Amino acid sequence: MSLSSSPRSSTGSDKELRSDSASSGSDSELRSVSGISTGATTPVTTPGSSNAGSIDALKGTELIRENTASPSSLESELDSESVYGEHLPPVPKTGDVKPLSIDNGTPDAWVARDERLIRLTGKHPLNVEPPLIDILKTGFLTPQSLFYVRSHGAVPYVSEGDAKDWKLRIHGLVEKEINFTIEELKQKFETVTLPVTLVCAGNRRKEQNMVTKGLGFNWGAAGVSTGLFTGVYLADLLDYCKPIRPAGAFPYDRKMPGRARHVIFEGIDELPKGKYGTSQRLTWAKDRSKGMLIAWGMNGEPLSPDHGFPLRLIVPGQIGGRMVKWLNRIEISDEESQHYLHFWDNKVLPTQVTADQARSEEHWWKDPKYIINDLNVNAAALTPDHNSTLDISHAGPSSYRICGYAYTGGGKRIHRVEVSLDDGKSWELSQIDMPEDKYRIAPIRNHPFFGTLDLTETEMSFAWCFWELDVDTARLKESSVISIRATDEGLAAMPRDMYWNATSMMNNWWFRVAIHRDDDQQQLRFEHPTLAGNAPGGWMQRMNDEGANPRYPQFGADAAQSNEASTQKVVPAKIDIEEVMTHVDKRTTVVTKAQVAEHANETSPWFVVGDHVYDGTAFLEKHPGGSESITLVAGEDATEDFMAIHSMDAKKQMRDYHIGRIEAGGLVKTEGPIEDDPTAPFLNAKQWKKSVLVEKDVISHDSAIYHFAMDRPDQRVGLPTGQHVYLRLRDKDGQIVRGSAAEGELVQRAYTPFSSDDLQGSLQILIKTYKPSADGKTPGGRFTTLLEQMIPGEDTIEMKGPLGHLKYQPGGVIQLHGHEHHHLKRVAMIAGGSGITPIWSTLKALLSDPDAAHVEIAILDANRTEADILARVHLDEALAASGRTNVRLWHVLSDPNVSPEWKMGKGRLTKELLEQHLFPPPPADISADKLDDTLVLLCGPPPMEAAVVDHLKAIGWPARTIVQF
Ligand SMILES: Nc1nc2c(c(=O)[nH]1)N[C@H]1C(S)=C(S)[C@@H](COP(=O)(O)O)O[C@H]1N2
Ligand SMILES: [Mo]
């Protein structure tokens, strides 16, 4: 094993460093991230060994002397540039950023952002990383605008004025509470600056998702950035407040009431389950050598809104998740933070705990052993970049420089980064550069913005380093994979194998870049494991597609051998979409992805089925499933859902809306969005979710209430009252397909819930089964026949939603089509058979809403026999419980043999019956600025609905007041 490049002198210029290397990108843009080399001879302290003595040493009398000795006249002459020092990494400024159109319509529309950031969770909230290769361009310090962002919700709007008045409150188990403005913090405590690398615990998560999808979204390898953070030491604030900590031994795992042991931090951002907050152990927080800061600045600028303006916590060496943004409250307590996300986020659960288990078994999240604080050792390659090439012909360079970043946690240093060209059989050392060490040469003091930037008194390492290794092109030519492994001073090394875990956090197996040779041996092409976000590509996806297992990847000759042995991949048979659903004349018209993207809107939605593009605009009004089911897939590939739900006739109708063939390559199928927010409701409008049937309450000869489980017992369903949800099952010759087998055909139907939206952990749906007729002439309902076969406690169904054009809002308001808000005075509900179910949830909400007591309700429920009346007991109970006198319920039975005892309606829903049992119709015309306060909600078999609509119109009900489900 030998070093392929000789150690460089500390004066080697950036140009020199790169001149002999072939590079993947445009060389001129790339600046070496390395600077001077101080060697690895700097002595280090043992982390965690700091004690009261060393804290005092850090606080040092020298510091205080310097401060008092500096005359203020001199201070004003200090020019930030010169005082900062030219030998130090340049401080990047936020570029020219503006609010982006992509954020229009989101709560963050006002936030200025850089469009180069790769969005990992769609538009909102902002979860982004810069393009990996940009780390090479930006270097040691990342400009705020290119700094990765992880926000669980909207960015709180804080004006300059708000920032002036911003108060940081410290309270709880302290002798002295404080409530300081940022100005007061600056006055009372020493301003300090530290270079700190922030890493989201999810960095490199996509690699884990490629093995088995876990609970989180797809971070690439750039969920990491570094800034110069300016603020005051948290330790100083704690010294001032004096935590109350009576001495005494205590069992480690129990709290001693009244004894301060935790420091809880809270931001102002409002999330579905409360504010963002987490905590630190008090002893750590008091340890100045750990460098925890209450920071207002980054890179010489105020924090940007995305990064926590005006104040945030910085915890060097720990995961980003601990560094609370928009910080305004600190509580000293005898117990750890009780914030929702302190428990349900930033954990590495044992590898055997599946995502499903993690969702349903709370104890994993409450076990203190699985919390993550300190970062683990990690590294990634910047060159070669994904898809870059290297000329290996005679004209090409003789050597190539591989480089990248590395970091570790807890203040430890990276001590080696090794590169293997034979997938781990042998390793060679790369050259490590620690730009952070430049700040150890001489302290900066009294800087007008940075205050004190002094790493001469600490041996902690809080920032990433860069490594590089020159290898002969000839050797790369022989290799099929570059593997990278970093090791820190505690000899913790990146493992060969992935430690898959449900949150897919702290992924740090070897970073491997596959090498491909082109056929004529003229160039090499490099392939990273994954690409950030939904971008396709990378060897992990390729291996999945080839039927190989990327968890135990094999490259080059090894892969070729094992591929031969593995069986052929089964490709599911394709329905002839072209034959059935396309217009002959348009089959050759090519529609570009960009054109489809332009129609990713609600007014002129285009979508893709198979290889073809359809314009759904003209069908929005007519679509029996509501316009939402079209607008939801606008700009997307809707093949799977479309094929599952539509009849042959519906498919044929698609010809009229066909506009052409999608350009080669097709659309990238959008992946399921964020799941790692444990506060998110169960239902997701863009993603099918699995749910177990936990219970089935049979309530009549042909109907039952089905109870489906959410991911967790305390999870909201996320189905606003009045909306429906799709359920789907797989049908193989009339038999339900169990488990995750992808056989059979998908069958899907929409249902409204029986339970209300405030029920947590479960969703109840009342469903009537359509059985085949006794003579066998009429077949049973295809979906309900499958549903009947489901075994409670065992079988799962898939759900997606919510959707629908009607939503109930408190106060007796019906929202239609997302924008009309009808403040009801009267509402008629007309149901036929199981048509009562979609009406039920709105009725129940109206009856239980104290602010809707004024709404007059008339219910007409039509069935064949008394036994057919669905959920009659439930209806009666809800009515009785409401105590309302302005609600009428009238059952009508159509069975000619109905018993003479029956006192309510008989026969069909005639015009006369409607006139008699409903209130008079609202005025035919109302002024343009008003909405109707009287509506009819109608749901039943299509012939019944048609007849009722005719009668209503004849009576004088304007069409706009009749809402059909
Ligand atoms: N108030 C608040 N603080 C927060 C978060 C948040 O959503 N709200 N996200 C956390 C997570 S998970 C990370 S990784 C870091 C990201 O910091 P950045 O967005 O400035 O890079 O902020 C942390 N602090
Ligand atoms: Mo994070």
Side-chain angles (χ1 to χ4, degrees), residues 694-719:
V694 278
E695 213 180 306
K696 179 174 162 184
D697 282 343
V698 177
I699 59 166
S700 81
H701 66 287
D702 61 357
S703 60
I705 297 172
Y706 293 78
H707 299 238
F708 296 104
M710 304 293 95
D711 293 336
R712 298 184 313 277
D714 63 345
Q715 190 174 32
R716 289 176 301 127
V717 179
L719 186 55

PDB file of all heavy atoms in Angstrom, residues 694-719:
ATOM      1  N   VAL A 694     -58.660  -4.227  11.416  1.00  0.00           N
ATOM      2  CA  VAL A 694     -58.533  -4.737  12.780  1.00  0.00           C
ATOM      3  C   VAL A 694     -59.825  -5.345  13.305  1.00  0.00           C
ATOM      4  O   VAL A 694     -59.811  -6.226  14.151  1.00  0.00           O
ATOM      5  CB  VAL A 694     -58.026  -3.653  13.762  1.00  0.00           C
ATOM      6  CG1 VAL A 694     -56.524  -3.528  13.679  1.00  0.00           C
ATOM      7  CG2 VAL A 694     -58.686  -2.312  13.524  1.00  0.00           C
ATOM      8  N   GLU A 695     -60.955  -4.870  12.785  1.00  0.00           N
ATOM      9  CA  GLU A 695     -62.213  -5.331  13.348  1.00  0.00           C
ATOM     10  C   GLU A 695     -63.305  -5.149  12.319  1.00  0.00           C
ATOM     11  O   GLU A 695     -63.229  -4.267  11.467  1.00  0.00           O
ATOM     12  CB  GLU A 695     -62.529  -4.444  14.557  1.00  0.00           C
ATOM     13  CG  GLU A 695     -63.260  -5.134  15.671  1.00  0.00           C
ATOM     14  CD  GLU A 695     -63.513  -4.145  16.799  1.00  0.00           C
ATOM     15  OE1 GLU A 695     -62.543  -3.524  17.279  1.00  0.00           O
ATOM     16  OE2 GLU A 695     -64.693  -3.978  17.153  1.00  0.00           O
ATOM     17  N   LYS A 696     -64.325  -5.986  12.416  1.00  0.00           N
ATOM     18  CA  LYS A 696     -65.453  -5.865  11.506  1.00  0.00           C
ATOM     19  C   LYS A 696     -66.721  -6.053  12.339  1.00  0.00           C
ATOM     20  O   LYS A 696     -66.973  -7.143  12.852  1.00  0.00           O
ATOM     21  CB  LYS A 696     -65.312  -6.957  10.443  1.00  0.00           C
ATOM     22  CG  LYS A 696     -66.400  -7.003   9.432  1.00  0.00           C
ATOM     23  CD  LYS A 696     -66.021  -8.038   8.377  1.00  0.00           C
ATOM     24  CE  LYS A 696     -67.232  -8.473   7.568  1.00  0.00           C
ATOM     25  NZ  LYS A 696     -66.863  -9.531   6.618  1.00  0.00           N
ATOM     26  N   ASP A 697     -67.494  -4.982  12.502  1.00  0.00           N
ATOM     27  CA  ASP A 697     -68.755  -5.050  13.255  1.00  0.00           C
ATOM     28  C   ASP A 697     -69.878  -5.284  12.271  1.00  0.00           C
ATOM     29  O   ASP A 697     -70.229  -4.378  11.515  1.00  0.00           O
ATOM     30  CB  ASP A 697     -69.100  -3.672  13.875  1.00  0.00           C
ATOM     31  CG  ASP A 697     -68.293  -3.380  15.106  1.00  0.00           C
ATOM     32  OD1 ASP A 697     -67.733  -4.330  15.649  1.00  0.00           O
ATOM     33  OD2 ASP A 697     -68.258  -2.194  15.496  1.00  0.00           O
ATOM     34  N   VAL A 698     -70.439  -6.472  12.287  1.00  0.00           N
ATOM     35  CA  VAL A 698     -71.550  -6.727  11.374  1.00  0.00           C
ATOM     36  C   VAL A 698     -72.784  -6.058  11.953  1.00  0.00           C
ATOM     37  O   VAL A 698     -73.143  -6.284  13.106  1.00  0.00           O
ATOM     38  CB  VAL A 698     -71.759  -8.243  11.220  1.00  0.00           C
ATOM     39  CG1 VAL A 698     -72.953  -8.525  10.326  1.00  0.00           C
ATOM     40  CG2 VAL A 698     -70.490  -8.869  10.657  1.00  0.00           C
ATOM     41  N   ILE A 699     -73.424  -5.159  11.173  1.00  0.00           N
ATOM     42  CA  ILE A 699     -74.562  -4.452  11.741  1.00  0.00           C
ATOM     43  C   ILE A 699     -75.885  -4.835  11.086  1.00  0.00           C
ATOM     44  O   ILE A 699     -76.944  -4.460  11.555  1.00  0.00           O
ATOM     45  CB  ILE A 699     -74.376  -2.917  11.738  1.00  0.00           C
ATOM     46  CG1 ILE A 699     -74.157  -2.398  10.314  1.00  0.00           C
ATOM     47  CG2 ILE A 699     -73.229  -2.497  12.632  1.00  0.00           C
ATOM     48  CD1 ILE A 699     -74.312  -0.881  10.231  1.00  0.00           C
ATOM     49  N   SER A 700     -75.833  -5.574   9.989  1.00  0.00           N
ATOM     50  CA  SER A 700     -77.073  -6.078   9.409  1.00  0.00           C
ATOM     51  C   SER A 700     -76.731  -7.249   8.509  1.00  0.00           C
ATOM     52  O   SER A 700     -75.559  -7.602   8.384  1.00  0.00           O
ATOM     53  CB  SER A 700     -77.788  -4.980   8.602  1.00  0.00           C
ATOM     54  OG  SER A 700     -77.199  -4.878   7.324  1.00  0.00           O
ATOM     55  N   HIS A 701     -77.740  -7.824   7.868  1.00  0.00           N
ATOM     56  CA  HIS A 701     -77.472  -9.019   7.059  1.00  0.00           C
ATOM     57  C   HIS A 701     -76.468  -8.761   5.937  1.00  0.00           C
ATOM     58  O   HIS A 701     -75.784  -9.657   5.493  1.00  0.00           O
ATOM     59  CB  HIS A 701     -78.775  -9.587   6.494  1.00  0.00           C
ATOM     60  CG  HIS A 701     -79.428  -8.662   5.496  1.00  0.00           C
ATOM     61  ND1 HIS A 701     -80.067  -7.504   5.875  1.00  0.00           N
ATOM     62  CD2 HIS A 701     -79.498  -8.724   4.147  1.00  0.00           C
ATOM     63  CE1 HIS A 701     -80.533  -6.903   4.782  1.00  0.00           C
ATOM     64  NE2 HIS A 701     -80.202  -7.619   3.737  1.00  0.00           N
ATOM     65  N   ASP A 702     -76.377  -7.522   5.482  1.00  0.00           N
ATOM     66  CA  ASP A 702     -75.457  -7.290   4.365  1.00  0.00           C
ATOM     67  C   ASP A 702     -74.507  -6.113   4.583  1.00  0.00           C
ATOM     68  O   ASP A 702     -73.880  -5.629   3.658  1.00  0.00           O
ATOM     69  CB  ASP A 702     -76.243  -7.084   3.066  1.00  0.00           C
ATOM     70  CG  ASP A 702     -77.156  -5.871   3.150  1.00  0.00           C
ATOM     71  OD1 ASP A 702     -77.210  -5.237   4.229  1.00  0.00           O
ATOM     72  OD2 ASP A 702     -77.808  -5.565   2.143  1.00  0.00           O
ATOM     73  N   SER A 703     -74.402  -5.618   5.812  1.00  0.00           N
ATOM     74  CA  SER A 703     -73.496  -4.481   5.991  1.00  0.00           C
ATOM     75  C   SER A 703     -72.716  -4.612   7.288  1.00  0.00           C
ATOM     76  O   SER A 703     -73.133  -5.287   8.219  1.00  0.00           O
ATOM     77  CB  SER A 703     -74.272  -3.172   5.980  1.00  0.00           C
ATOM     78  OG  SER A 703     -75.218  -3.180   7.020  1.00  0.00           O
ATOM     79  N   ALA A 704     -71.553  -3.967   7.297  1.00  0.00           N
ATOM     80  CA  ALA A 704     -70.675  -4.032   8.460  1.00  0.00           C
ATOM     81  C   ALA A 704     -69.889  -2.741   8.560  1.00  0.00           C
ATOM     82  O   ALA A 704     -69.706  -2.035   7.565  1.00  0.00           O
ATOM     83  CB  ALA A 704     -69.724  -5.212   8.325  1.00  0.00           C
ATOM     84  N   ILE A 705     -69.455  -2.451   9.776  1.00  0.00           N
ATOM     85  CA  ILE A 705     -68.529  -1.323   9.954  1.00  0.00           C
ATOM     86  C   ILE A 705     -67.135  -1.918  10.035  1.00  0.00           C
ATOM     87  O   ILE A 705     -66.854  -2.759  10.884  1.00  0.00           O
ATOM     88  CB  ILE A 705     -68.872  -0.510  11.216  1.00  0.00           C
ATOM     89  CG1 ILE A 705     -70.268   0.110  11.052  1.00  0.00           C
ATOM     90  CG2 ILE A 705     -67.843   0.594  11.442  1.00  0.00           C
ATOM     91  CD1 ILE A 705     -70.794   0.782  12.303  1.00  0.00           C
ATOM     92  N   TYR A 706     -66.296  -1.506   9.105  1.00  0.00           N
ATOM     93  CA  TYR A 706     -64.921  -2.014   9.043  1.00  0.00           C
ATOM     94  C   TYR A 706     -64.012  -1.026   9.766  1.00  0.00           C
ATOM     95  O   TYR A 706     -64.067   0.173   9.506  1.00  0.00           O
ATOM     96  CB  TYR A 706     -64.478  -2.151   7.579  1.00  0.00           C
ATOM     97  CG  TYR A 706     -65.241  -3.225   6.828  1.00  0.00           C
ATOM     98  CD1 TYR A 706     -66.531  -2.980   6.358  1.00  0.00           C
ATOM     99  CD2 TYR A 706     -64.677  -4.467   6.593  1.00  0.00           C
ATOM    100  CE1 TYR A 706     -67.245  -3.966   5.674  1.00  0.00           C
ATOM    101  CE2 TYR A 706     -65.379  -5.457   5.904  1.00  0.00           C
ATOM    102  CZ  TYR A 706     -66.658  -5.204   5.462  1.00  0.00           C
ATOM    103  OH  TYR A 706     -67.354  -6.168   4.790  1.00  0.00           O
ATOM    104  N   HIS A 707     -63.172  -1.561  10.662  1.00  0.00           N
ATOM    105  CA  HIS A 707     -62.219  -0.710  11.384  1.00  0.00           C
ATOM    106  C   HIS A 707     -60.831  -0.932  10.796  1.00  0.00           C
ATOM    107  O   HIS A 707     -60.299  -2.035  10.873  1.00  0.00           O
ATOM    108  CB  HIS A 707     -62.164  -1.069  12.874  1.00  0.00           C
ATOM    109  CG  HIS A 707     -63.473  -0.903  13.585  1.00  0.00           C
ATOM    110  ND1 HIS A 707     -63.622  -0.088  14.677  1.00  0.00           N
ATOM    111  CD2 HIS A 707     -64.701  -1.453  13.365  1.00  0.00           C
ATOM    112  CE1 HIS A 707     -64.878  -0.144  15.106  1.00  0.00           C
ATOM    113  NE2 HIS A 707     -65.558  -0.970  14.317  1.00  0.00           N
ATOM    114  N   PHE A 708     -60.257   0.110  10.245  1.00  0.00           N
ATOM    115  CA  PHE A 708     -58.905  -0.006   9.684  1.00  0.00           C
ATOM    116  C   PHE A 708     -57.922   0.744  10.563  1.00  0.00           C
ATOM    117  O   PHE A 708     -58.213   1.843  11.049  1.00  0.00           O
ATOM    118  CB  PHE A 708     -58.875   0.576   8.275  1.00  0.00           C
ATOM    119  CG  PHE A 708     -59.738  -0.185   7.307  1.00  0.00           C
ATOM    120  CD1 PHE A 708     -60.972   0.325   6.899  1.00  0.00           C
ATOM    121  CD2 PHE A 708     -59.323  -1.407   6.803  1.00  0.00           C
ATOM    122  CE1 PHE A 708     -61.775  -0.373   6.008  1.00  0.00           C
ATOM    123  CE2 PHE A 708     -60.122  -2.111   5.908  1.00  0.00           C
ATOM    124  CZ  PHE A 708     -61.345  -1.591   5.506  1.00  0.00           C
ATOM    125  N   ALA A 709     -56.730   0.163  10.750  1.00  0.00           N
ATOM    126  CA  ALA A 709     -55.731   0.752  11.654  1.00  0.00           C
ATOM    127  C   ALA A 709     -54.888   1.805  10.945  1.00  0.00           C
ATOM    128  O   ALA A 709     -54.539   1.660   9.783  1.00  0.00           O
ATOM    129  CB  ALA A 709     -54.824  -0.333  12.205  1.00  0.00           C
ATOM    130  N   MET A 710     -54.552   2.865  11.682  1.00  0.00           N
ATOM    131  CA  MET A 710     -53.603   3.857  11.206  1.00  0.00           C
ATOM    132  C   MET A 710     -52.201   3.358  11.566  1.00  0.00           C
ATOM    133  O   MET A 710     -52.037   2.316  12.178  1.00  0.00           O
ATOM    134  CB  MET A 710     -53.860   5.214  11.881  1.00  0.00           C
ATOM    135  CG  MET A 710     -55.282   5.727  11.708  1.00  0.00           C
ATOM    136  SD  MET A 710     -55.696   6.153   9.985  1.00  0.00           S
ATOM    137  CE  MET A 710     -56.471   4.660   9.410  1.00  0.00           C
ATOM    138  N   ASP A 711     -51.177   4.144  11.216  1.00  0.00           N
ATOM    139  CA  ASP A 711     -49.816   3.710  11.516  1.00  0.00           C
ATOM    140  C   ASP A 711     -49.559   3.622  13.013  1.00  0.00           C
ATOM    141  O   ASP A 711     -48.812   2.778  13.477  1.00  0.00           O
ATOM    142  CB  ASP A 711     -48.796   4.705  10.931  1.00  0.00           C
ATOM    143  CG  ASP A 711     -48.823   4.689   9.418  1.00  0.00           C
ATOM    144  OD1 ASP A 711     -49.237   3.668   8.862  1.00  0.00           O
ATOM    145  OD2 ASP A 711     -48.408   5.689   8.814  1.00  0.00           O
ATOM    146  N   ARG A 712     -50.163   4.555  13.753  1.00  0.00           N
ATOM    147  CA  ARG A 712     -49.928   4.588  15.194  1.00  0.00           C
ATOM    148  C   ARG A 712     -51.237   4.876  15.891  1.00  0.00           C
ATOM    149  O   ARG A 712     -52.119   5.500  15.321  1.00  0.00           O
ATOM    150  CB  ARG A 712     -48.942   5.703  15.554  1.00  0.00           C
ATOM    151  CG  ARG A 712     -47.556   5.562  14.958  1.00  0.00           C
ATOM    152  CD  ARG A 712     -46.679   6.691  15.475  1.00  0.00           C
ATOM    153  NE  ARG A 712     -47.335   7.977  15.395  1.00  0.00           N
ATOM    154  CZ  ARG A 712     -47.373   8.710  14.303  1.00  0.00           C
ATOM    155  NH1 ARG A 712     -46.777   8.300  13.201  1.00  0.00           N
ATOM    156  NH2 ARG A 712     -47.990   9.859  14.305  1.00  0.00           N
ATOM    157  N   PRO A 713     -51.342   4.451  17.153  1.00  0.00           N
ATOM    158  CA  PRO A 713     -52.617   4.625  17.866  1.00  0.00           C
ATOM    159  C   PRO A 713     -53.028   6.089  18.032  1.00  0.00           C
ATOM    160  O   PRO A 713     -54.212   6.375  18.166  1.00  0.00           O
ATOM    161  CB  PRO A 713     -52.355   3.996  19.233  1.00  0.00           C
ATOM    162  CG  PRO A 713     -51.012   3.391  19.196  1.00  0.00           C
ATOM    163  CD  PRO A 713     -50.334   3.740  17.949  1.00  0.00           C
ATOM    164  N   ASP A 714     -52.058   7.000  18.027  1.00  0.00           N
ATOM    165  CA  ASP A 714     -52.426   8.399  18.246  1.00  0.00           C
ATOM    166  C   ASP A 714     -52.440   9.189  16.948  1.00  0.00           C
ATOM    167  O   ASP A 714     -52.454  10.407  16.952  1.00  0.00           O
ATOM    168  CB  ASP A 714     -51.453   9.045  19.229  1.00  0.00           C
ATOM    169  CG  ASP A 714     -50.037   9.067  18.678  1.00  0.00           C
ATOM    170  OD1 ASP A 714     -49.778   8.337  17.696  1.00  0.00           O
ATOM    171  OD2 ASP A 714     -49.200   9.801  19.226  1.00  0.00           O
ATOM    172  N   GLN A 715     -52.438   8.502  15.837  1.00  0.00           N
ATOM    173  CA  GLN A 715     -52.348   9.232  14.577  1.00  0.00           C
ATOM    174  C   GLN A 715     -53.717   9.674  14.062  1.00  0.00           C
ATOM    175  O   GLN A 715     -54.687   8.933  14.150  1.00  0.00           O
ATOM    176  CB  GLN A 715     -51.674   8.349  13.527  1.00  0.00           C
ATOM    177  CG  GLN A 715     -51.334   9.115  12.264  1.00  0.00           C
ATOM    178  CD  GLN A 715     -50.530   8.259  11.302  1.00  0.00           C
ATOM    179  OE1 GLN A 715     -50.711   7.054  11.250  1.00  0.00           O
ATOM    180  NE2 GLN A 715     -49.655   8.894  10.546  1.00  0.00           N
ATOM    181  N   ARG A 716     -53.756  10.894  13.535  1.00  0.00           N
ATOM    182  CA  ARG A 716     -54.985  11.380  12.929  1.00  0.00           C
ATOM    183  C   ARG A 716     -55.169  10.699  11.582  1.00  0.00           C
ATOM    184  O   ARG A 716     -54.213  10.334  10.922  1.00  0.00           O
ATOM    185  CB  ARG A 716     -54.909  12.890  12.682  1.00  0.00           C
ATOM    186  CG  ARG A 716     -54.957  13.732  13.934  1.00  0.00           C
ATOM    187  CD  ARG A 716     -54.781  15.192  13.572  1.00  0.00           C
ATOM    188  NE  ARG A 716     -53.508  15.417  12.891  1.00  0.00           N
ATOM    189  CZ  ARG A 716     -53.379  16.028  11.716  1.00  0.00           C
ATOM    190  NH1 ARG A 716     -54.428  16.488  11.064  1.00  0.00           N
ATOM    191  NH2 ARG A 716     -52.198  16.194  11.178  1.00  0.00           N
ATOM    192  N   VAL A 717     -56.423  10.584  11.156  1.00  0.00           N
ATOM    193  CA  VAL A 717     -56.692   9.951   9.876  1.00  0.00           C
ATOM    194  C   VAL A 717     -56.359  10.910   8.734  1.00  0.00           C
ATOM    195  O   VAL A 717     -55.735  10.543   7.751  1.00  0.00           O
ATOM    196  CB  VAL A 717     -58.170   9.513   9.791  1.00  0.00           C
ATOM    197  CG1 VAL A 717     -58.452   8.884   8.443  1.00  0.00           C
ATOM    198  CG2 VAL A 717     -58.503   8.555  10.915  1.00  0.00           C
ATOM    199  N   GLY A 718     -56.758  12.162   8.897  1.00  0.00           N
ATOM    200  CA  GLY A 718     -56.494  13.136   7.846  1.00  0.00           C
ATOM    201  C   GLY A 718     -57.558  13.101   6.767  1.00  0.00           C
ATOM    202  O   GLY A 718     -57.262  13.213   5.585  1.00  0.00           O
ATOM    203  N   LEU A 719     -58.808  12.896   7.199  1.00  0.00           N
ATOM    204  CA  LEU A 719     -59.910  12.835   6.247  1.00  0.00           C
ATOM    205  C   LEU A 719     -60.959  13.849   6.681  1.00  0.00           C
ATOM    206  O   LEU A 719     -61.809  13.559   7.509  1.00  0.00           O
ATOM    207  CB  LEU A 719     -60.478  11.408   6.248  1.00  0.00           C
ATOM    208  CG  LEU A 719     -61.540  11.047   5.228  1.00  0.00           C
ATOM    209  CD1 LEU A 719     -61.075  11.342   3.817  1.00  0.00           C
ATOM    210  CD2 LEU A 719     -61.884   9.570   5.342  1.00  0.00           C
TER     211      LEU A 719
END
